[in-house]
Amino acid sequence: MALWSTKRRFIYGFSVVFVFVLVAGGIFGRILYHAPTCSDGFKNGDETGVDCGGGCINLCTSDALEPVVLWSKVFNISGDVYTAVAFVDNPNINSKNPKAKYKFRIFDDKNVLITVKEGETTIPKGKKFTVFETGLILKNTKPKFAEFQFTELASWEKDTSKEPEVSLEYSTLLSTTSAPRVIGTITNKSLENIPAIELDVLITDSKQNVIAASRTFVDNLIKKTSQDFVFTWQKPFNLGVDSCSFPLDVAIALDKSGSMKSEKISPPEPFTTVVSTAQSFIKNLSAEDQVSITSFGNSSALENALSLNKQTAITAVSNLRLSTTTLEQTNITAGLSSAFDELQSSRIRGDSKKVMILLTDGVPTLPTKAGVADNPAVSAQNIADNIKSKDIEIYTIGLGKGVSDTFLKSISTDDAHYLKAPDKETLTSIYGKIASSLCQRKPNVITVIYRSI
């Protein structure tokens, strides 16, 4: 009996102690235990790294891509005042960087470092943006280029917020010869106000070179409202090199029949002027244009195949020789056919505009065909129609009084593609008209971008 009572007291005592330990453990556990957070210095919870990834706002370094510097430049504002600009792409679609330190290094034309400018910016998620460093005073030196790099990045943060819905409308480049400017309107189409927004403009020439940049700010853009903005520059800037909208493949066919020395002088005229004006036209073609030379009289010959090398074409024109007899006839069909073959060769390019220019001072006299009195004109008309069906433009130049305006218009693309040269002195202006119509200049490209700040 005494044994059972002792045993029972032991069980009761153990139970009391056990309950006490549980209660005490719970109390101390609540005091000492800390739930996993994204700032406790441990990899716990659903994190994929220490305080990063998973449910944490910060991305792990291995999950973030480095921002890409697309270009950096330095622009003269006025006198000794310059602005350095970098254009950067953040490839991280849903992450931003709240604190990015950077450095501009400015060099002269001898690659000597002039100055270093450091700063700090934010990196918006998944978009291209600019970094401006304004008010650089650079005396007694002329900067040539700038290098840009990020020197320190804070932790990347997830950003799944919705971008504000914004629309932009803006003008072309205005007052280019005095104080250039671009004016526009920004509209907040979203349901929330935008406290502040940065607007940046980039002016690009026809060669895709950025020739100017500027920045402005819009404060408190109320939802469903618009505000005007303007970008200005204190002085005109270099608008860059003009360029045609597309490269040209040009086949020039020149008449060298006996009548091209009708003026009975030495050197022969109008042939000598025909040669010199054709050479000038070739010289004024752009570096991206190809040109070939065909000559025709009784028959035709390819004097120079399509090539980017303008000098070989100029030399080919110089080497042209007239027939030694005035009996040399005018086979316009052969001239068209030879130039056509070249514009269908493997040397043409898919993105080019294909053009044929034919100059003659007479009417077609070859090829003949028994029973067809007007075969020289009919055959030329047939080959011209075939050429035009292949999206090749035909310009014709009728030199002197012995040409048929009606015939040359009929083989041209249209009446406007026929140019009458009453005398050799008008050839220069005629080639100028053709050059102007062939080269549709690329406009300056204006790009305005924005980011909330």
Side-chain angles (χ1 to χ4, degrees), residues 28 50 60 99 108 125 140 185 191 200 206 224 235 282 342 347 360 362 369-370 385 407 420 431:
F28 283 104
V50 177
C60 295
K99 187 177 181 180
D108 65 14
K125 66 173 183 179
N140 303 319
T185 301
L191 299 177
D200 305 316
S206 59
K224 303 299 182 180
K235 65 176 185 176
I282 294 167
E342 193 58 18
R347 287 176 284 277
T360 184
K369 184 176 182 181
D385 289 344
F407 166 72
K420 174 75 170 181
Y431 273 119

Side-chain angles (χ1 to χ4, degrees), residues 204-209 241-244 286-288 442:
T204 307
D205 68 12
S206 59
K207 295 289 187 179
Q208 304 304 307
N209 299 311
V241 179
D242 278 343
S243 178
C244 301
S286 76
E288 292 82 11
K442 289 182 180 178

Side-chain angles (χ1 to χ4, degrees), residues 24-188:
I27 293 172
F28 283 104
R30 294 185 66 179
I31 294 173
L32 299 177
Y33 173 75
H34 297 283
T37 69
C38 292
S39 59
D40 56 16
F42 295 97
K43 180 183 177 182
N44 45 29
D46 65 349
E47 300 167 350
T48 57
V50 177
D51 294 338
C52 64
C56 294
I57 190 172
N58 291 339
L59 270 67
C60 295
T61 303
S62 59
D63 295 333
L65 299 172
E66 289 292 319
V68 179
V69 180
L70 300 175
W71 54 259
S72 56
K73 292 194 172 189
V74 58
F75 301 99
N76 179 241
I77 304 304
S78 178
D80 296 328
V81 182
Y82 294 83
T83 291
V85 183
F87 194 45
V88 185
D89 183 18
N90 177 16
N92 299 291
I93 297 175
N94 290 316
S95 59
K96 62 183 180 181
N97 200 294
K99 187 177 181 180
K101 294 183 178 180
Y102 62 80
K103 178 189 297 184
F104 277 103
R105 303 172 73 223
I106 314 296
F107 296 84
D108 65 14
D109 57 358
K110 296 181 181 179
N111 297 332
V112 175
L113 180 64
I114 299 173
T115 188
V116 176
K117 188 67 176 179
E118 297 181 336
E120 183 178 299
T121 188
T122 60
I123 299 179
K125 66 173 183 179
K127 67 189 307 180
K128 295 181 176 68
F129 64 99
T130 55
V131 179
F132 278 77
E133 197 62 52
T134 60
L136 301 177
I137 308 299
L138 304 175
K139 294 185 176 180
N140 303 319
T141 186
K142 188 174 181 179
K144 181 68 174 179
F145 65 96
E147 290 182 353
F148 176 87
Q149 67 178 132
F150 287 107
T151 56
E152 184 179 339
L153 297 175
S155 297
W156 289 91
E157 297 180 357
K158 293 179 183 178
D159 184 0
T160 57
S161 62
K162 185 179 179 181
E163 282 280 298
E165 188 178 355
V166 168
S167 68
L168 295 166
E169 294 182 0
Y170 44 90
S171 68
T172 58
L173 192 59
L174 307 173
S175 304
T176 57
T177 60
S178 54
R181 71 183 191 277
V182 173
I183 59 176
T185 301
I186 181 171
T187 302
N188 180 4

Side-chain angles (χ1 to χ4, degrees), residues 235-269:
K235 65 176 185 176
F237 43 74
N238 186 353
L239 293 176
V241 179
D242 278 343
S243 178
C244 301
S245 298
F246 35 71
L248 302 174
D249 284 335
V250 183
I252 300 175
L254 299 175
D255 188 345
K256 64 170 186 177
S257 60
S259 60
M260 293 292 283
K261 55 180 179 180
S262 59
E263 295 186 16
K264 308 293 185 180
I265 59 176
S266 182
E269 287 289 3

